[in-house]
Amino acid sequence: MHNVTLNNGVEMPILGFGVFQIPADDTERAVTEALAAGYRLIDTAAAYGNEEAVGKAIKNSGIPREELFVTTKLWIQDAPAQENATRVFETSLRKLGLDYLDLYLMHQPFGDVYGQWRAMEALHHRGRVRAIGVSNFYPDRLVDLLSNNEVTPAVNQIETHPFFQRTADQDVMIEHGVQIQSWGGFAEGKNDLFTNPVLSGIGAKHGKSVAQVVLRWLVQSDIVAIPKSVRADRMAENIDVFDFELTDDQLAAIAALDTGESLFFDHRTAAVAGQLGKRRLDG
Ligand code: NAP
């Protein structure tokens, strides 16, 4: 597995396994199969409701802890955010059955972002988590956060796929040393991604599937990818992207698929800030 080096020197696999929308009662099986297929980065979140099942699969795998890279995410906390964020971090860690975390992400750019970030900084300083980062931060919010706090986020996990490529946002992240990580790399299949003629045509030239072309494009663009699948055959397919290279012409053809717009929701809109920003996990 190829790694990226985060801004604090921590090594992170460039390809991992995401477990969003995998039901809790199927997650242990899925993660067990993903680990058997060779994935070492597992991406979950308190909001996914499946941290315990991820933890069971990790424990039963027998894989040495230091070979794994486990990410979970902090959901929006009520005041006092700093205190509550520290508490829910420990709950996540307990559910995962771990005594430290590799990466803790602030899931959404909403609520008392500063209070939550200070709690994450403190957890990082205490050695409870090797790297801290954010998710769904557009460049303005990201640069505000890193300009006014001690620790620069190591990662920003954002919607990134062929139809929403985020190249300008990635440039800002590169400038500030923040690693871009794609969520929804397949756009969850929206826009008929898996039968897109440009992507299929490129795949045919390499004897690869559309999924493999997309993941190759991400990793070749230095973007960390975390495809989700509940199927063992697809898990194996999705990790098999390190034996071919996209040409400049093929990269240009993929670049032309960018619409510059989210296929899910835009965190900068009042509607999303109002709805998502008010959501609480236990409410
Ligand atoms: P995704 O990875 O873009 O797409 C998953 C979909 O693609 C599933 O329907 C899956 O079906 C299908 N699929 C997977 N491999 C395939 C293949 N080789 N051929 C055909 N279909 C295939 O979607 P995602 O789960 O939303 O994103 C990936 C991860 O990003 C998540 O699991 C989560 O960890 C993270 N995420 C983070 C945020 C955030 O706010 N930070 C938001 C969304 C997601 P099957 O399962 O049936 O194979």
Side-chain angles (χ1 to χ4, degrees):
M1 178 58 64
H2 299 225
N3 287 340
V4 294
T5 305
L6 302 179
N7 61 16
N8 61 359
V10 166
E11 299 269 310
M12 176 182 193
I14 198 160
L15 186 62
F17 184 70
V19 300
F20 179 44
Q21 291 173 324
I22 304 184
D25 61 5
D26 198 26
T27 301
E28 184 181 349
R29 174 204 61 82
V31 174
T32 299
E33 290 179 358
L35 292 171
Y39 293 85
R40 290 296 177 267
L41 186 180
I42 306 295
D43 182 274
T44 184
Y48 301 170
N50 54 18
E51 288 171 312
E52 258 166 328
V54 169
K56 279 186 193 154
I58 287 173
K59 186 171 176 221
N60 294 336
S61 74
I63 296 170
R65 174 68 185 91
E66 63 277 13
E67 289 179 21
L68 296 169
F69 191 100
V70 184
T71 303
T72 193
K73 309 185 192 83
L74 169 70
W75 191 256
I76 306 160
Q77 295 302 308
D78 285 323
Q82 218 167 321
E83 203 175 304
N84 287 331
T86 309
R87 181 177 49 79
V88 298
F89 170 83
E90 295 299 340
T91 303
S92 285
L93 214 57
R94 182 174 44 73
K95 285 185 176 171
L96 286 162
L98 302 176
D99 54 14
Y100 70 89
L101 194 68
D102 296 283
L103 177 64
Y104 199 38
L105 298 178
M106 193 186 307
H107 205 147
Q108 305 290 351
F110 302 131
D112 180 1
V113 165
Y114 274 71
Q116 292 169 171
W117 188 249
R118 288 201 190 96
M120 293 169 71
E121 285 182 328
L123 290 164
H124 178 51
H125 288 319
R126 282 172 42 217
R128 305 294 286 145
V129 50
R130 295 172 69 223
I132 54 175
V134 295
S135 178
N136 298 309
F137 275 57
Y138 276 81
D140 57 335
R141 308 296 308 268
L142 180 68
V143 174
D144 171 60
L145 187 75
L146 64 82
S147 301
N148 294 291
N149 286 285
E150 187 201 333
V151 179
T152 293
V155 170
N156 186 16
Q157 185 183 112
I158 55 174
E159 177 191 348
T160 313
H161 47 72
F163 306 123
F164 191 31
Q165 301 190 9
R166 317 298 296 265
T167 45
D169 296 355
Q170 190 182 4
D171 287 345
V172 173
M173 291 183 225
I174 290 169
E175 184 188 336
H176 292 282
V178 181
Q179 173 65 50
I180 179 173
Q181 180 175 29
S182 150
W183 67 251
F186 300 142
E188 294 182 5
K190 285 178 194 278
N191 239 7
D192 295 327
L193 177 133
F194 292 112
T195 52
N196 180 277
V198 172
L199 300 171
S200 315
I202 294 171
K205 295 235 163 67
H206 292 281
K208 293 285 182 181
S209 67
V210 165
Q212 290 170 319
V213 169
V214 170
L215 292 169
R216 179 68 215 179
W217 165 72
L218 286 168
V219 301
Q220 212 171 304
S221 308
D222 300 321
I223 298 173
V224 176
I226 42 170
K228 169 263 174 187
S229 178
V230 293
R231 290 176 38 170
D233 58 336
R234 290 178 175 172
M235 294 174 198
E237 176 185 329
N238 295 347
I239 203 173
D240 180 21
V241 299
F242 295 101
D243 62 350
F244 74 111
E245 199 158 333
L246 300 170
T247 65
D248 288 345
D249 286 351
Q250 291 167 343
L251 291 171
I254 296 172
L257 298 177
D258 192 9
T259 66
E261 281 179 20
S262 169
L263 288 187
F264 293 85
F265 33 68
D266 187 334
H267 287 77
R268 294 165 301 187
T269 61
V272 171
Q275 284 162 21
L276 211 52
K278 269 195 235 151
R279 189 180 156 215
R280 295 293 179 271
L281 287 191
D282 15 330

